[in-house]
């Protein structure tokens, strides 16, 4: 009986899946709510953004108030004027301890401090860099979810192929045993068939284990158990990337890639830190207003004195002269950090360019691989059917049948992997160009059934 074993097994596995299976958008929504990597990036973004408010606060008025109450006990004493007789003075040693109350209010405002303005600029750049880093993490979440999702689909196909392969080898093994017992073939055919069959069983176990591990990897991203996943439909779009120009994709990536934009902002922040360090050589001007009032009295006497309130307005010029070489060292350190930031930006720029070109070429190659893979599966299936027929009439050997089954399994496996990888490469190309969005994930999801 002629059975297209592997193709039939895959078809049956697909039919057995429930139509309400989980799709890619379901997995993304779960990951968006539960993924700790994205949550960490968001928290870091918010924390870095607070640096802008903190840097700006140093340029705004600073107001502080003070109230003190002091008590003095003992001492050598002294004399104060008698409130009942201004011409007499009374010794204070008989009045016990004295108390003093002071009230103060101070306001200061930076008039000129170039380092604080530079620090504010650096804080803005650092916040912008973290915003871009968060955007990169968000786009990376699209890719991580899709990669984990399609990895599970690939594993499910591999398990289906492995089981079908095992069944095919089992059938050949049973047939070899029967033929040997009937005296129609040598014991060698039975040994060969058994060897392939036992190897196929080991492959099935390994495929099941890989599937279990990768399903858990998807759950690690989504924070939810992985259910039945919708499969990739048969008719995939075979169109080339749009625009069909790799240089256009690279140009777009150098403008939009969030990781590269983050590095550019880091360079701006480092450059502002150099300016801040050099400002350590410059004078600073601060305006201040202070108000103070105090009163004192004695414990055992009706002697009380008030000091008239005082308001002081001033302008302070601070000119740095020598700090032991600290400022010069800080300038050099800031310059080195800026150079390191520029080198990191150049590394990222080259990586973005290379990745964009690689994924562009991968999409083009993937289209051809899918088309060739489909043709290879059709040819391998026909070859297996012909080899089985030849074996039944004695023109083909058992080894030929076993090798034909193996060839079909490899072709099915390669075809499945190339289909899933093509879909992922399209998304990876968008991510490298810095334009991956939820719309792209929805377009990918539309390819499922």
């Amino acid at each position: 009986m002629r059975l297209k074993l592997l193709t039939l097994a895959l078809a049956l596995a697909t039919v057995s899946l429930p139509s309400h299976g989980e799709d890619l958008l379901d997995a993304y929504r779960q990951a968006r709510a539960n993924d700790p990597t994205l949550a960490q990036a968001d928290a870091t973004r918010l924390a870095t953004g607070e640096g802008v408010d903190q840097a700006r606060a140093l340029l705004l008025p600073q107001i502080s108030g003070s109230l003190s109450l002091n008590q003095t006990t003992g001492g050598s004493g002294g004399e104060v004027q008698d409130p009942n007789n201004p011409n007499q003075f009374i010794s204070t040693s008989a009045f016990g301890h004295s108390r003093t109350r002071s009230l103060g209010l101070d306001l200061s405002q930076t008039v000129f401090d170039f380092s604080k303005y530079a620090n504010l600029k650096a804080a803005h750049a650092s916040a912008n860099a973290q915003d871009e880093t968060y955007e990169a993490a968000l786009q990376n979440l699209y890719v991580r979810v899709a990669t984990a999702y399609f990895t599970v689909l690939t594993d499910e196909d591999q398990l289906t192929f492995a089981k079908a392969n095992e069944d095919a080898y089992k059938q050949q093994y049973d047939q070899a045993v029967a033929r040997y017992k009937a005296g129609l073939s040598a014991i060698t055919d039975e040994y060969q068939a058994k060897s392939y069959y036992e190897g196929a069983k080991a492959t099935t176990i390994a495929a099941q284990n890989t599937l279990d591990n990768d399903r858990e990897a998807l759950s690690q991203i989504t924070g939810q158990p992985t259910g039945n996943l919708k499969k990739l439909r048969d008719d995939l779009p075979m169109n080339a990337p749009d625009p069909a120009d790799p240089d256009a994709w690279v140009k777009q990536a150098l403008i939009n890639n969030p990781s590269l934009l983050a590095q550019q902002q880091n360079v701006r922040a480092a450059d502002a830190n150099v300016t801040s360090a050099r400002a350590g050589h410059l004078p600073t001007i601060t305006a201040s207003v202070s108000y103070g009032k105090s009163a004192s009295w004695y414990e055992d006497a009706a002697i009380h004195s008030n000091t008239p309130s005082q308001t002081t307005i001033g302008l302070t010029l601070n000119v740095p002269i020598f700090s032991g070489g600290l400022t010069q060292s800080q300038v050099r350190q800031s310059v080195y950090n800026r150079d390191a930031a520029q080198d990191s930006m150049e590394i990222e720029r080259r990586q973005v360019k290379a990745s964009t070109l690689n994924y562009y070429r991968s999409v083009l190659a993937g289209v051809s691989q899918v088309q060739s893979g489909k043709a290879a599966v059709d040819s391998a299936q026909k070859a297996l059917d012909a080899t089985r027929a030849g074996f039944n009439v004695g023109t083909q050997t058992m080894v030929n049948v076993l090798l034909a089954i193996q060839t079909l399994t490899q072709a099915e496996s390669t075809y499945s992997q190339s289909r899933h990888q093509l879909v992922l490469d399209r998304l990876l190309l968008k991510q490298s160009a810095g334009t991956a969005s939820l719309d792209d994930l929805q377009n990918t999801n539309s390819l499922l059934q």
Side-chain angles (χ1 to χ4, degrees), residues 11-12 20-21 45 65 76 79 114 155 211 214 224-225 231 246 270 274 301 334 352 363 365 372 376 388 398 416 418:
L12 292 176
H20 56 279
R45 175 180 67 88
S76 59
E79 292 183 340
F114 200 67
D155 292 342
L211 173 59
D214 288 336
Q224 301 293 330
K231 298 284 189 177
V274 173
S334 299
V352 166
V363 172
S372 298
R388 281 185 181 278
M398 174 64 70
S416 170
S418 62

Side-chain angles (χ1 to χ4, degrees), residues 92-204:
T92 60
S93 60
F95 299 152
H97 56 253
S98 63
R99 292 173 178 169
T100 303
R101 181 183 66 235
S102 300
L103 174 67
L105 189 65
D106 296 298
L107 182 148
S108 63
Q109 170 64 55
T110 298
V111 177
F112 176 80
D113 189 337
F114 200 67
S115 66
K116 292 181 179 178
Y117 290 103
N119 288 336
L120 178 59
K121 184 178 180 180
H124 275 292
S126 296
N128 292 338
Q130 203 56 51
D131 288 342
E132 295 296 341
T133 300
Y134 175 76
E135 176 62 25
L138 182 59
Q139 293 193 26
N140 189 48
L141 180 63
Y142 301 145
V143 172
R144 286 193 294 122
V145 172
T147 300
Y149 187 97
F150 285 108
T151 297
V152 172
L153 293 188
T154 300
D155 292 342
E156 289 177 346
D157 284 353
Q158 300 307 308
L159 180 59
T160 300
F161 303 147
K163 289 180 177 179
N165 198 37
E166 180 183 341
D167 292 341
Y169 284 137
K170 177 64 165 59
Q171 182 183 14
Q172 291 303 128
Y173 172 62
D174 292 340
Q175 186 177 3
V177 171
R179 288 172 64 88
Y180 172 69
K181 289 181 179 180
L184 300 177
S185 65
I187 189 65
T188 305
D189 287 350
E190 179 181 340
Y191 290 156
Q192 289 174 334
K194 182 175 176 59
S195 175
Y196 276 83
Y197 172 52
E198 294 297 335
K201 289 198 295 184
T203 301
T204 300

Side-chain angles (χ1 to χ4, degrees), residues 10 55 100 117 129 139 178 198 225 250 256 273 280 305 326 329 369 374 398 418:
L10 180 58
T100 303
Y117 290 103
Q139 293 193 26
E198 294 297 335
V250 170
N256 297 320
N273 287 333
S305 64
L326 174 64
S329 176
Q369 288 173 342
K374 184 177 182 180
M398 174 64 70
S418 62

Side-chain angles (χ1 to χ4, degrees), residues 7-78:
T7 304
L8 179 60
L10 180 58
L12 292 176
T14 304
V15 171
S16 65
L17 290 175
S19 60
H20 56 279
E22 179 181 347
D23 63 14
L24 184 58
L25 285 182
D26 292 332
Y28 168 72
R29 294 186 189 101
Q30 294 169 356
R32 188 71 174 80
N34 300 310
D35 181 54
T37 301
L38 184 65
Q40 182 185 45
D42 188 36
T44 303
R45 175 180 67 88
L46 295 175
T48 304
E50 293 298 325
V52 176
D53 293 337
Q54 294 171 14
R56 185 186 295 113
L58 299 179
L59 292 168
L60 299 178
Q62 310 292 309
I63 302 174
S64 62
S66 63
L67 175 64
S68 64
L69 181 63
N70 300 316
Q71 177 175 296
T72 303
T73 303
S76 59

